[in-house]
Amino acid sequence: MSAELPQRSIDTIRTLAMDAVQRANSGHPGMPMGCAPMAYVLFREVMRHDPTTPDWPARDRFVLSAGHGSMLLYGALHLTGYDRPTMDDLKAFRQWGSVTPGHPESADLAGVETTTGPLGQGFANGIGMAVAAERLAAEFDGGGHDLVPQRVYGIVSDGDLMEGVASEAASLAGHLQLGRVTYLYDDNSITIDGGTAKAFSEDVLARFNAYGWHTQRVNDGNDLDAIRAAIAVADADPRPSLIAVRTVIGYGAPDKAGTSAAHGAPLGEDELAAGKAAYGWEHPPFHVPDEVREHLDMRERGRQLRAEWNERLDRYRDTQPELASEFDRRVIRGELPDGWTDALPTLDGKDATRKHSGAVINALAPVLPELLGGSADLAASNNTDVDGGGDFSADTTTGDEPAGRLGRNLRFGIREHAMASMANGMALHGGVLPYVASFLVFTDYCRPALRLASIMQQRVIYVMTHDSIGLGEDGPTHQPVEHLASLRAIPGMTVIRPADGDEVVDAWRTAIETPGPTVLALTRQGLPPLGDKPPRPAEAGGYVLADHVNAEGDVDVILIGTGSEVQLCVDAAEQLVSEGVGVRVVSMPSVDRFLARDAQTRADVLPPEVTARVAVEAGVSLGWDRLVGDRGEVVSLERFGASAPADRLFEEFGFTPDRVVEAARRSMG
Amino acid sequence: MSAELPQRSIDTIRTLAMDAVQRANSGHPGMPMGCAPMAYVLFREVMRHDPTTPDWPARDRFVLSAGHGSMLLYGALHLTGYDRPTMDDLKAFRQWGSVTPGHPESADLAGVETTTGPLGQGFANGIGMAVAAERLAAEFDGGGHDLVPQRVYGIVSDGDLMEGVASEAASLAGHLQLGRVTYLYDDNSITIDGGTAKAFSEDVLARFNAYGWHTQRVNDGNDLDAIRAAIAVADADPRPSLIAVRTVIGYGAPDKAGTSAAHGAPLGEDELAAGKAAYGWEHPPFHVPDEVREHLDMRERGRQLRAEWNERLDRYRDTQPELASEFDRRVIRGELPDGWTDALPTLDGKDATRKHSGAVINALAPVLPELLGGSADLAASNNTDVDGGGDFSADTTTGDEPAGRLGRNLRFGIREHAMASMANGMALHGGVLPYVASFLVFTDYCRPALRLASIMQQRVIYVMTHDSIGLGEDGPTHQPVEHLASLRAIPGMTVIRPADGDEVVDAWRTAIETPGPTVLALTRQGLPPLGDKPPRPAEAGGYVLADHVNAEGDVDVILIGTGSEVQLCVDAAEQLVSEGVGVRVVSMPSVDRFLARDAQTRADVLPPEVTARVAVEAGVSLGWDRLVGDRGEVVSLERFGASAPADRLFEEFGFTPDRVVEAARRSMG
């Protein structure tokens, strides 16, 4: 091999990025130009991956947390032999319908492990991936088996490290000693607004040391040997690792290198040409020298790595048939076990829906070992603990409960955002089914991660309790008011607010069967059972709970409630019925699921001819107009809550049967 | 003074908290029991405050970031002589209508500097307060004057330090060397879920050292001399300071002390009695010994401190009459200058609304020196820089532009959440008018702070640009879709999406005149001027931009647009009018302002008899039903965006005059 070949390969990664950004007339050339050597070492030498089988479960995961440098990843995937992106795909960078969007989208392109761009998210996703890998290794490896060798590599930027979500995840990764993580920090001293000295002068490595990470510095981002050596040391260390690599953004561009001008805009034809000249690059745009293509082709290496692993898997199937069967189901096929729904409990007592939820979790835990979740320091309030399941931890001391990586309960600490972002990483990794928990109001802290779960359509279940003013004395800062509406606004997010034990059981079932993310909004306060209802109430979204026709056999008014407010509708109906009014009560645990149903099904529940309607929900009315219509009324809360016992709050804010009755009378005109 | 008096005073703070929580049967007794000595030292010896004048501008600010320990603050305010809370107020802790809610609410009680409870927020608020104080000191102090001596003291918890928002704020505070900050860390090793060892094992002080903070440890939270000494050292250091104080949560309670059982629930009568016995406390509930009341009464001390400061202010008025007049206006009266609106520009050209916004900022900067803001590393994209205004920094090197604390542009780094939370602190401090900026999609990162700005009704202006798929190639992660709806869902938040230069100018004016927070949603792409319109279009919320009656003199259909989609309505109207249809075009820059107007005014714009209506907005339709009604149509985007040039996206997603015309035809039936 020519000594020049690595350099030519690196320059190929660089020039592809420069050319693609120039052609798109949009994008971020500087990062790939600075980080190409890291990508070269990672994709060619370090990472276990097979371009012919991008979804190989035992592959190392690569996270480009600095997602704006997407061309670095696209170039690496193309050059190492992935089917996509093709050269045409690279030329379609940032164009309509391409698999090479501005930021890497996991749904668009195999090899993109997670959708990145919003800074800090990839960093935390990778920590979640490491949690999943650790868990699977603990469950399936042992006795000389090594089915779960995968590590998590990432390239992170100044911006990632400034974001709070990364700080939270880093602190927890250090606590959990997630040694599978090796992050390379693109330490280029440049952000969009200029030098990092404008806003970022902390000692990053000292900070990560304080978190319990292993840290190193590579002084020259073009020094391949130094990068190799640092990664080797990092991988051998039991702690998560951060390697600060000094790079030059836009390396090679004579005027823009080392400046923010190289960050987020095309270099321009002249600067691009000058940069290529600096590399000694004399080719037309998008050129890949044949020897580079051969040098970077990782397909044969990938096949071999996978063949070795397949041999291990075969031995495993021989010696550990039961575990192997479980491994096949969870990790390779990614399926739920047959008959898992048989374990769903019947919950027909009066209780808080958060407690019903806890009962479901504990009923499912034995049959769904992939369920792995926890709370941001509110486990007892969120009822998320698997009883006797132990804590997932770095402490492998054996006691009465499962310990170390076999502990079932994740303790996220008071780090809601990292929790939700890590859950995305866990789901993306596969083999585990993550659920995370806090108070509903604190979905605000998680929101960027919730949005990404929706974009990526990852199955993450958010157990969000204390879902209204029913939270009581903690007051307005802790009482969600606008949250149901604002969560329903997120495309692809399922929101379920069950009203009793039956609805909770089906809400969990629906969440587990839904490919995308689901918020379960659950009460603090006890709720009575609502009695008979159709078999899949939460999946249906909304259904007729009770019909009381008037003397003519008609329904005069429809009362629609969710969660704790359904009982209010039931009580109001009783009063109206006693006055001879025909009343239908509709429970609507999931507005979005209901709206997704066909028109006829919706009309069966909400007949167009019945225009007198009242919706009741202890939150803002936003979004209910479409269900109650022009003549309808909404009993809602258009202000922040208050600190007082819950019963007093419901009364003071007008969530009483009387007020629902009044609204019904207004709507009937 | 009896040597016992400090101890009795501290025990009074403790027992008031224990009794109030017990009486409310709800709350957090453990934190006040552990932190009472710190409160004693701060409120009695360290902080400059005057209970008779809680809003004295030169007071030190106290931030209880661990807001769940609210009784510590209520007790301290009561005992040091504030008019409220009275003893009856303490007994009404956590009850309807009380000034002593579960978490401290700045709007409810003077002396509560900020609403806390959502963890990490108070920490970052305090950093913002220090920014404001530094700025005012740089503007008004000098030449021996000392009108702005105030410092920021806080008590922060494990939870605060785990939250990402605090990490971001700490990093920036270190960078900016905000030496006015002294935070005491209630290092009690306990969170709700149990020992911090479950999730939090980082070296906190090493982390803060890495941020550039001065750090100390006090090994015994009951050692008053050690607390005093540490605070004195901290206050003398030019860096922000964190003092880790080892405390025992629920100190004194024989069974619950040092456990999470003392965190968030009443002690119970027996444990409470045993705790009081441990203190040697033999009094009925809510007892304040006379000698303690006298010992803690800070009113005379406060009056003296304020008298000294008033003398300084008098001298200042003599020697610096112009500056003194400005100080009176901004800091003491908190008013805008007369005639400031004369500086508002006329912006009638075609441009992106973000650029119009930049023009407004630069036009107002000279007449509103209190305007102090910046961006989370997107200043050039958000157009937020005051040109030639220099950067607010720790670097006082004089150059061509204002430097050090006189720099007008805040560089928040890639720390959106801390930015928004610091802005709350700046607004609460007063004397400055904060504006902060990012892409609209990243309001998600700021959301907990936006909510608190709304709860507290603080005047913070969010300059949120790239407000739709018009962002283009960066793709779905960067394109807001659900954000206008979800921001409108927050009670008390004003959202304005202007459509041209006139609307931008009035949007800024409205935001500055609005007591609460305002989001300005601004385009990346250029928009044409819409021509003549009423004088205050943004304040009005919605208005008739054009009326084209049909042959009978009637309007057949109303087209409603916001921001960049108003022009679409104008174009569609032209097509419909050419077909003889009567069309009204309504521009609705602020849905919430429009909905807040009286019924007649709304009916003047949207006459009830015209039921054919189309709303056009490049985001989810949620919330538009209430404006278009049962027969209306919404041209919206019910999915995430995509990566492509903006024009292509508008076309692919159906934001074209043709589609608006089709919707109008459907609505007209």
Side-chain angles (χ1 to χ4, degrees):
Chain A
M1 160 177 129
S2 152
E4 269 202 344
L5 207 41
Q7 190 58 49
R8 301 300 276 173
S9 302
I10 289 164
D11 291 341
T12 305
I13 298 173
R14 287 177 168 140
T15 54
L16 283 177
M18 294 153 76
D19 288 337
V21 170
Q22 191 65 32
R23 183 184 171 101
N25 195 28
S26 159
H28 301 76
M31 185 277 200
M33 293 162 76
C35 293
M38 296 183 224
Y40 172 86
V41 172
L42 286 172
F43 277 85
R44 188 177 183 280
E45 302 173 9
V46 172
M47 291 200 303
R48 304 170 64 266
H49 66 123
D50 179 3
T52 71
T53 311
D55 61 351
W56 177 32
R59 72 192 181 280
D60 288 333
R61 268 61 170 183
F62 175 74
V63 175
L64 186 72
S65 193
H68 55 273
S70 53
M71 267 307 302
L72 181 76
L73 176 54
Y74 300 151
L77 294 175
H78 174 76
L79 291 169
T80 55
Y82 286 72
D83 285 349
R84 305 287 293 270
T86 63
M87 184 55 79
D88 283 344
D89 291 331
L90 297 183
K91 291 178 180 171
F93 180 53
R94 292 183 155 237
Q95 302 309 305
W96 176 259
S98 78
V99 301
T100 47
H103 292 82
E105 303 279 342
S106 64
D108 288 354
L109 185 63
V112 174
E113 299 285 359
T114 178
T115 296
T116 51
L119 290 168
Q121 298 296 331
F123 185 109
N125 293 165
I127 305 303
M129 293 175 188
V131 166
E134 281 291 311
R135 171 44 162 269
L136 294 178
E139 288 185 87
F140 295 104
D141 285 348
H145 295 289
D146 187 14
L147 292 183
V148 192
Q150 57 261 35
R151 301 181 53 82
V152 182
Y153 295 92
I155 297 181
V156 304
S157 64
D158 303 302
D160 288 304
L161 301 183
M162 279 190 254
E163 290 285 2
V165 62
S167 298
E168 293 176 16
S171 175
L172 188 52
H175 173 77
L176 292 173
Q177 295 178 37
L178 296 173
R180 288 175 192 254
V181 173
T182 298
Y183 283 167
L184 300 165
Y185 163 31
D186 174 23
D187 187 7
N188 63 25
S189 303
I190 289 293
T191 68
I192 296 176
D193 276 358
T196 49
K198 281 179 178 283
F200 191 50
S201 52
E202 64 175 53
D203 183 338
V204 172
L205 296 189
R207 169 157 72 106
F208 275 75
N209 280 330
Y211 292 140
W213 285 52
H214 177 253
T215 62
Q216 298 172 82
R217 178 170 293 290
V218 170
N219 285 317
D220 176 1
N222 287 312
D223 183 341
L224 298 181
D225 285 337
I227 293 171
R228 289 176 183 122
I231 293 174
V233 171
D235 289 357
D237 194 276
R239 294 165 290 181
S241 274
L242 186 73
I243 304 169
V245 183
R246 288 247 191 252
T247 62
V248 177
I249 192 169
Y251 177 83
D255 291 338
K256 296 187 175 178
T259 77
S260 54
H263 172 85
L267 294 173
E269 292 293 356
D270 292 347
E271 183 79 357
L272 190 155
K276 286 184 176 176
Y279 305 151
W281 189 264
E282 296 172 347
H283 302 290
F286 293 100
H287 180 73
V288 179
D290 288 342
E291 70 275 19
V292 166
R293 200 173 277 290
E294 188 184 340
H295 179 65
L296 288 180
D297 187 343
M298 294 292 106
R299 286 176 294 186
E300 187 48 37
R301 172 177 175 273
R303 278 190 210 99
Q304 282 179 17
L305 287 169
R306 203 159 49 83
E308 288 164 21
W309 183 81
N310 280 330
E311 284 173 23
R312 275 185 253 163
L313 182 59
D314 286 342
R315 283 197 298 277
Y316 195 71
R317 285 178 174 135
D318 288 343
T319 57
Q320 304 275 6
E322 277 189 42
L323 278 171
S325 163
E326 185 75 356
F327 189 84
D328 280 337
R329 176 184 75 77
R330 280 172 55 190
V331 181
I332 297 182
R333 298 200 309 278
E335 293 173 355
L336 295 166
D338 291 338
W340 70 273
T341 56
D342 297 345
L344 287 167
T346 301
L347 300 172
D348 49 13
K350 171 176 173 161
D351 219 336
T353 53
R354 67 184 165 116
K355 293 190 178 169
H356 286 310
S357 170
V360 175
I361 290 170
N362 278 281
L364 290 179
V367 298
L368 291 180
E370 56 264 56
L371 261 188
L372 179 61
S375 164
D377 198 46
L378 289 168
S381 296
N382 303 142
N383 298 86
T384 44
D385 274 351
V386 174
D387 298 332
D391 290 354
F392 182 95
S393 74
D395 176 9
T396 53
T397 315
T398 39
D400 292 341
E401 297 183 349
R405 308 310 194 196
L406 291 173
R408 290 203 64 156
N409 299 304
L410 286 167
R411 303 287 176 207
F412 288 102
I414 301 155
R415 304 183 183 98
E416 298 85 1
H417 197 178
M419 171 178 76
S421 191
M422 286 171 62
N424 288 348
M426 292 166 65
L428 286 158
H429 181 280
V432 297
L433 199 172
Y435 65 95
V436 295
S438 185
F439 288 162
L440 181 62
V441 78
F442 297 134
T443 51
D444 279 356
Y445 275 82
C446 311
R447 202 165 165 94
L450 265 60
R451 183 172 208 259
L452 281 162
S454 300
I455 289 179
M456 296 190 279
Q457 282 297 290
Q458 290 301 306
R459 187 176 52 178
V460 179
I461 302 173
Y462 309 97
V463 180
M464 294 293 167
T465 71
H466 297 61
D467 69 349
S468 76
I469 49 171
L471 172 140
E473 292 89 343
D474 275 349
T477 56
H478 285 52
Q479 290 162 355
V481 170
E482 70 276 28
H483 297 77
L484 292 166
S486 69
L487 291 166
R488 289 173 185 142
I490 303 175
M493 174 68 74
T494 299
V495 181
I496 309 181
R497 187 172 188 236
D500 71 356
D502 291 339
E503 289 193 10
V504 169
V505 171
D506 193 50
W508 262 101
R509 178 172 171 179
T510 301
I512 290 172
E513 291 176 347
T514 297
T518 302
V519 171
L520 304 178
L522 305 168
T523 64
R524 174 193 188 195
Q525 71 274 26
L527 301 180
L530 295 172
D532 291 342
K533 53 183 75 70
R536 297 291 311 271
E539 189 196 32
Y543 64 94
V544 178
L545 177 66
D547 255 340
H548 311 276
V549 294
N550 62 16
E552 290 76 41
D554 294 329
V555 166
D556 299 303
V557 64
I558 303 174
L559 308 182
I560 310 168
T562 81
S564 46
E565 282 74 72
V566 177
Q567 185 59 39
L568 267 183
C569 295
V570 170
D571 294 345
E574 190 175 335
Q575 193 172 326
L576 288 161
V577 168
S578 73
E579 298 166 8
V581 179
V583 184
R584 167 172 288 189
V585 177
V586 169
S587 176
M588 189 156 302
S590 179
V591 172
D592 44 287
R593 288 198 70 88
F594 180 75
L595 289 174
R597 303 185 75 190
D598 64 84
Q600 184 56 52
T601 308
R602 280 182 281 135
D604 289 345
V605 178
L606 301 178
E609 64 273 18
V610 185
T611 56
R613 301 177 184 182
V614 180
V616 189
E617 190 169 74
V620 296
S621 65
L622 191 80
W624 280 104
D625 302 82
R626 74 176 71 181
L627 287 156
V628 299
D630 288 355
R631 292 193 48 207
E633 295 277 334
V634 187
V635 177
S636 64
L637 183 62
E638 305 296 333
R639 51 157 285 178
F640 293 108
S643 174
D647 290 349
R648 181 73 183 269
L649 292 173
F650 279 106
E651 193 174 311
E652 293 285 349
F653 289 130
F655 292 94
T656 61
D658 284 350
R659 187 157 163 235
V660 177
V661 167
E662 286 163 24
R665 290 205 189 103
R666 280 199 305 275
S667 189
M668 289 186 287
Chain B
M1 159 176 129
S2 153
E4 268 201 343
L5 207 41
Q7 191 58 50
R8 302 299 277 171
S9 300
I10 289 164
D11 291 342
T12 304
I13 298 172
R14 287 176 167 141
T15 54
L16 282 178
M18 295 154 75
D19 289 337
V21 170
Q22 192 64 32
R23 183 182 170 104
N25 196 28
S26 160
H28 302 76
M31 185 279 200
M33 293 163 76
C35 292
M38 297 182 223
Y40 172 86
V41 172
L42 286 172
F43 277 84
R44 187 175 184 280
E45 302 172 9
V46 172
M47 291 200 303
R48 304 170 62 267
H49 66 123
D50 179 4
T52 71
T53 310
D55 61 352
W56 176 32
R59 72 193 181 277
D60 288 334
R61 267 61 170 183
F62 176 75
V63 174
L64 187 72
S65 193
H68 55 273
S70 53
M71 267 307 302
L72 181 75
L73 176 54
Y74 300 150
L77 293 175
H78 173 76
L79 292 168
T80 54
Y82 287 72
D83 284 351
R84 304 287 292 270
T86 62
M87 183 56 79
D88 283 346
D89 292 330
L90 297 183
K91 291 178 178 170
F93 181 53
R94 291 181 157 240
Q95 302 310 304
W96 177 260
S98 79
V99 300
T100 48
H103 292 81
E105 304 280 342
S106 64
D108 288 354
L109 184 63
V112 174
E113 300 284 359
T114 178
T115 296
T116 52
L119 289 168
Q121 298 295 332
F123 185 110
N125 294 163
I127 305 302
M129 292 175 190
V131 166
E134 281 291 311
R135 172 43 162 269
L136 294 179
E139 288 186 87
F140 294 105
D141 284 348
H145 294 290
D146 187 14
L147 292 183
V148 191
Q150 58 261 35
R151 299 181 55 82
V152 181
Y153 295 92
I155 297 181
V156 305
S157 64
D158 302 303
D160 289 304
L161 300 183
M162 280 190 252
E163 290 285 2
V165 62
S167 299
E168 293 176 15
S171 175
L172 188 51
H175 174 76
L176 292 173
Q177 295 179 37
L178 296 172
R180 288 175 193 254
V181 173
T182 298
Y183 283 167
L184 300 164
Y185 163 32
D186 174 23
D187 187 7
N188 63 26
S189 303
I190 289 295
T191 67
I192 297 177
D193 276 0
T196 50
K198 280 177 179 284
F200 191 51
S201 54
E202 64 175 51
D203 183 338
V204 172
L205 295 190
R207 169 158 71 106
F208 275 75
N209 281 329
Y211 292 139
W213 286 51
H214 177 253
T215 63
Q216 300 172 81
R217 181 171 289 292
V218 170
N219 284 317
D220 176 1
N222 287 310
D223 183 342
L224 297 182
D225 285 338
I227 293 171
R228 287 176 184 123
I231 293 174
V233 171
D235 289 356
D237 195 277
R239 294 166 289 181
S241 275
L242 186 73
I243 305 169
V245 183
R246 288 246 191 253
T247 61
V248 177
I249 193 170
Y251 177 81
D255 291 338
K256 296 187 176 179
T259 79
S260 55
H263 172 84
L267 294 173
E269 292 293 354
D270 292 349
E271 184 78 358
L272 191 155
K276 286 185 176 175
Y279 305 151
W281 189 264
E282 295 172 347
H283 302 291
F286 293 100
H287 180 73
V288 179
D290 289 342
E291 69 276 19
V292 166
R293 200 172 279 291
E294 188 185 341
H295 179 65
L296 289 180
D297 186 343
M298 294 291 107
R299 286 176 293 187
E300 187 49 36
R301 172 178 175 271
R303 277 190 209 101
Q304 283 178 16
L305 287 169
R306 201 159 50 82
E308 286 163 23
W309 183 81
N310 280 330
E311 284 173 23
R312 276 185 252 162
L313 182 59
D314 286 342
R315 283 197 297 276
Y316 195 70
R317 285 177 174 139
D318 288 343
T319 57
Q320 304 276 5
E322 276 188 43
L323 279 171
S325 164
E326 186 75 355
F327 189 83
D328 279 338
R329 176 184 76 76
R330 281 172 55 190
V331 181
I332 297 184
R333 298 200 311 276
E335 292 173 357
L336 295 166
D338 290 339
W340 71 272
T341 56
D342 297 345
L344 287 167
T346 301
L347 300 173
D348 49 12
K350 172 177 172 160
D351 218 335
T353 53
R354 66 184 166 116
K355 293 190 179 168
H356 286 310
S357 169
V360 175
I361 289 171
N362 277 280
L364 290 179
V367 298
L368 291 180
E370 56 263 56
L371 262 188
L372 179 62
S375 163
D377 197 46
L378 290 168
S381 296
N382 303 142
N383 299 86
T384 43
D385 273 352
V386 173
D387 298 332
D391 290 354
F392 182 95
S393 74
D395 177 7
T396 53
T397 315
T398 40
D400 292 342
E401 296 183 349
R405 308 311 193 195
L406 290 173
R408 291 205 61 157
N409 299 303
L410 285 167
R411 303 288 175 206
F412 288 101
I414 301 155
R415 304 183 183 99
E416 298 84 1
H417 197 177
M419 171 179 74
S421 190
M422 286 171 61
N424 288 349
M426 292 167 66
L428 286 158
H429 181 279
V432 297
L433 198 173
Y435 65 96
V436 296
S438 185
F439 288 164
L440 181 62
V441 78
F442 297 134
T443 50
D444 279 357
Y445 275 81
C446 311
R447 201 165 165 93
L450 267 59
R451 183 173 210 258
L452 281 162
S454 300
I455 290 179
M456 295 190 281
Q457 283 297 291
Q458 290 301 307
R459 187 176 52 178
V460 178
I461 301 172
Y462 309 98
V463 180
M464 294 293 168
T465 72
H466 296 61
D467 69 348
S468 75
I469 50 172
L471 173 139
E473 291 90 345
D474 275 349
T477 55
H478 285 54
Q479 291 162 355
V481 170
E482 71 276 27
H483 297 78
L484 291 166
S486 69
L487 291 167
R488 289 173 185 143
I490 303 175
M493 174 68 75
T494 298
V495 180
I496 309 180
R497 187 172 187 238
D500 71 356
D502 291 337
E503 289 193 10
V504 169
V505 172
D506 193 49
W508 262 101
R509 177 172 172 179
T510 302
I512 290 172
E513 291 176 347
T514 297
T518 301
V519 171
L520 304 178
L522 304 167
T523 64
R524 175 192 187 195
Q525 71 274 27
L527 301 180
L530 295 173
D532 291 341
K533 51 184 80 69
R536 297 291 311 271
E539 189 196 33
Y543 63 93
V544 178
L545 177 67
D547 254 341
H548 310 277
V549 293
N550 62 16
E552 289 76 40
D554 294 329
V555 167
D556 299 304
V557 63
I558 303 173
L559 309 182
I560 311 168
T562 80
S564 47
E565 283 74 74
V566 177
Q567 185 60 39
L568 268 183
C569 295
V570 170
D571 294 345
E574 190 175 337
Q575 193 172 327
L576 287 162
V577 168
S578 74
E579 298 165 10
V581 179
V583 185
R584 167 172 288 189
V585 177
V586 169
S587 176
M588 191 159 298
S590 178
V591 172
D592 44 288
R593 288 197 71 88
F594 181 75
L595 290 173
R597 302 186 76 192
D598 64 85
Q600 184 57 54
T601 307
R602 279 183 280 135
D604 289 344
V605 177
L606 301 178
E609 64 273 19
V610 185
T611 57
R613 301 176 184 183
V614 181
V616 189
E617 189 168 73
V620 297
S621 64
L622 191 80
W624 280 106
D625 302 81
R626 73 177 70 182
L627 286 156
V628 300
D630 288 356
R631 293 194 49 206
E633 295 277 333
V634 187
V635 177
S636 64
L637 183 62
E638 305 296 333
R639 50 157 286 180
F640 293 108
S643 173
D647 290 348
R648 182 74 183 268
L649 293 172
F650 279 106
E651 193 173 312
E652 293 286 348
F653 289 130
F655 292 93
T656 60
D658 284 351
R659 188 157 163 234
V660 177
V661 167
E662 287 163 23
R665 290 204 189 103
R666 280 198 305 278
S667 189
M668 288 186 288

